[in-house]
């Protein structure tokens, strides 16, 4: 917990009313989910001003409000604490730095173009076998979400923090707040390439994570990723740990066996079982294995943590509906690399009719046409039975398939809800359907419809 006095000192804040010795409980910036006795942090966005919701927060029973604009507080809330700061986002970040400075445990920071959240969750599944663990919830991995995660710290021994970005200097800010002992880069792909301009720039932005790394801290990288492999070859040192399948690395997965339900491989003298049968998740599990070794966790506990790992909602989540159709829900987001990984899982479903619902991949800018066209080859190789596309940018993929004389059954829709009638007509018992697109295409709602 943090006392009001500490907030005033750390953030150069002004106490407008309340008790300077009170303690602040859970920090929250969203009045829709805020709980009684929480501390409300009013944040300004592009289209809203959190200061305007202070009264709503007080009505819900919060004890303290941190504002960056003075507002009139009704007399009936005279028993609450109101703090005024210059910038509420900066206040959150400064408090997180303060909290980290008092943290004696280990900080693990994870970034990458694809697989940040699943790797974070798998690392947490391993680490929590031995240590009390705090991890980023969902994808609260930005300039607000990361500080809010750190401020949840009570008595945990390890923090596992996801770091996202779409511009230069974002990860630099986050890592210099968190000061990690171990940094992880899962891979360098094409996510946000429309903003950053090239994969090389994406690599540069992701490498900002080492700016905050503690002296002698470790960097774990995927040595099979082409750009990370090149970086390693040019910067080899004892603080970089490599994982891989194809390239010789510090930790290699060997004798890999994959079927539609599980994946087995060997590492050292250990046999690892993974319940998500795709190559990208082998890399994720290798990272979790290395983190476990670095934290002196017993091999048996590491292997148990990997085997019992559960995916976050809407990420390769397998469900079965009333019609006994198997639904692979990978609707949370999309990139070229994650589409390829999802199709690998679908290909494993042999002797079943395979249906793919694929929507736009966004934030690609000038690269949208080339990347959507490149996915066509992956779709062809997946040997699906029916393809349903949704959106505008996905038409580049459709055009590429037509140019390649694609013979499978195809349908296209502009909107997610236009698929409902067709899906009702074509889906039958035993089918497997994969749904994948950027989040704002709303294929998650199609999954919800299919599960009714």
């Amino acid at each position: 917990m943090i006392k009001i006095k500490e907030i005033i000192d750390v953030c150069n804040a002004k106490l407008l009313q309340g008790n300077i010795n009170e303690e602040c409980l859970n920090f929250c910036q969203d009045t829709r989910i805020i709980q009684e006795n929480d501390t409300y942090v009013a944040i300004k966005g592009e289209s809203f001003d959190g200061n305007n919701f202070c009264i709503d927060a007080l009505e819900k029973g919060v004890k303290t409000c941190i504002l960056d604009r003075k507002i009139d507080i009704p007399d009936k809330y005279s028993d609450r604490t109101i703090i005024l700061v210059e910038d509420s986002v900066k206040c959150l970040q400064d408090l997180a730095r303060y909290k980290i400075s008092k943290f004696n445990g280990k900080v693990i920071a994870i970034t990458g173009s694809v697989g940040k959240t699943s790797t974070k969750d798998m690392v947490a599944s391993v680490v929590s076998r031995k240590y009390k663990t705090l991890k980023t919830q969902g994808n609260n991995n930005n300039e607000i979400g990361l500080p809010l995660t750190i401020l949840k710290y009570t008595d945990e021994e390890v923090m596992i923090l996801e770091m996202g970005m779409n511009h230069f200097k974002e990860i630099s800010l986050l890592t210099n707040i968190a000061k990690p002992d171990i940094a992880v880069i899962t891979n360098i792909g094409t996510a946000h390439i429309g903003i950053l301009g090239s994969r090389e720039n994406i690599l540069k932005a992701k490498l900002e994570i080492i700016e905050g790394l503690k002296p002698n801290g470790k960097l774990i990288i995927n040595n099979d990723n082409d750009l990370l492999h090149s970086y390693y070859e040019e910067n080899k040192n004892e603080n970089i740990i490599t994982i891989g399948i194809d390239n010789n690395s510090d930790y290699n997965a060997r004798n890999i066996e994959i079927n539609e339900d599980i994946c087995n491989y060997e590492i050292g003298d250990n046999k690892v079982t993974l319940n998500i049968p795709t190559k990208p998740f082998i890399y994720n599990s290798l990272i979790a294995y290395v983190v476990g070794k670095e934290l002196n966790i017993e091999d048996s506990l590491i292997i148990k943590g990997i085997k019992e790992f559960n995916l976050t909602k809407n990420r390769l989540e397998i469900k079965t509906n009333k019609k006994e159709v198997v639904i692979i829900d990978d609707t949370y987001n999309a990139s070229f690399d994650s589409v390829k990984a999802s199709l690998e899982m679908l290909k494993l479903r042999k002797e079943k009719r395979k249906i793919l619902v694929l929507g736009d991949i966004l934030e690609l800018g000038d690269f949208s046409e080339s990347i959507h066209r490149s996915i066509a080859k992956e779709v062809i190789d997946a040997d699906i039975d029916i393809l349903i596309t949704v959106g505008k940018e996905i038409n580049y993929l459709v055009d590429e398939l037509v140019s390649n004389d694609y013979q499978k059954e195809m349908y296209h829709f502009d909107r997610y809800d236009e698929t409902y009638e067709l899906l009702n007509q074509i889906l039958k018992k035993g089918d497997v359907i994969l749904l994948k697109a950027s989040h704002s295409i709303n294929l998650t709602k199609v999954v919800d419809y299919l599960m009714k």
Side-chain angles (χ1 to χ4, degrees), residues 77 111 228 275 321 324 450:
Y77 300 120
T111 194
L228 287 172
N275 291 320
N321 70 4
E324 296 185 43
L450 294 174

Side-chain angles (χ1 to χ4, degrees), residues 350-365:
K350 297 175 181 177
E351 300 177 0
K352 294 180 174 65
R353 194 170 68 146
K354 297 186 283 291
I355 300 162
L356 172 63
V357 181
L358 188 61
D360 287 352
I361 302 174
L362 303 178
E363 296 184 343
L364 296 177

Side-chain angles (χ1 to χ4, degrees), residues 424-440:
N424 275 334
Q425 292 173 359
I426 65 172
L427 287 177
K428 58 186 180 182
K429 180 179 178 180
D431 286 347
V432 179
I433 179 169
L434 166 65
L435 299 99
K436 181 74 173 173
S438 286
H439 188 68
S440 59

Side-chain angles (χ1 to χ4, degrees), residues 151-169:
L151 289 172
K152 292 182 184 296
Y153 163 68
T154 54
D155 61 350
E156 290 86 1
E157 299 165 284
V158 178
M159 290 190 197
I160 303 170
L161 303 174
E162 182 179 331
M163 296 183 179
M165 67 91 209
N166 54 27
H167 292 90
F168 287 121
K169 297 302 179 184

Side-chain angles (χ1 to χ4, degrees), residues 117-118 138-139 311-317 329-332:
T117 300
S118 54
N139 68 330
L311 280 165
T312 301
K313 186 175 173 62
N314 307 130
R315 289 177 170 88
L316 289 175
E317 187 179 4
D329 175 4
D330 201 22
T331 58
Y332 187 81

Side-chain angles (χ1 to χ4, degrees), residues 91-101 147 150-151 177:
C91 171
L92 272 180
Q93 294 166 357
D94 289 343
L95 289 175
R97 286 189 188 93
Y98 175 71
K99 197 98 172 182
I100 283 287
S101 72
I150 292 171
L151 289 172
I177 292 172

Side-chain angles (χ1 to χ4, degrees), residues 75-135:
D75 290 342
K76 66 178 180 177
Y77 300 120
S78 60
D79 61 331
R80 313 296 175 83
T81 299
I82 309 295
I83 300 171
L84 183 67
V85 298
E86 185 176 340
D87 183 325
S88 56
V89 173
K90 185 176 183 301
C91 171
L92 272 180
Q93 294 166 357
D94 289 343
L95 289 175
R97 286 189 188 93
Y98 175 71
K99 197 98 172 182
I100 283 287
S101 72
K102 295 181 172 296
F103 179 60
N104 294 319
K106 298 292 185 181
V107 177
I108 318 297
I110 298 171
T111 194
S113 294
V114 181
K116 292 184 295 295
T117 300
S118 54
T119 300
K120 174 255 303 180
D121 289 339
M122 194 175 293
V123 170
S125 181
V126 167
V127 172
S128 62
R129 306 288 152 170
K130 183 171 182 178
Y131 302 104
K132 190 166 185 182
T133 303
L134 174 67
K135 70 171 184 174

Side-chain angles (χ1 to χ4, degrees), residues 19 28 30 54 57 113 118 135 137 147 152 202 214 240 270 314 331 336 353 356 391:
N19 183 351
C28 181
D30 190 342
C54 174
S113 294
S118 54
K135 70 171 184 174
Q137 295 300 313
K152 292 182 184 296
I202 295 170
K214 287 177 183 169
I240 300 178
N270 297 307
N314 307 130
T331 58
F336 172 82
R353 194 170 68 146
L356 172 63

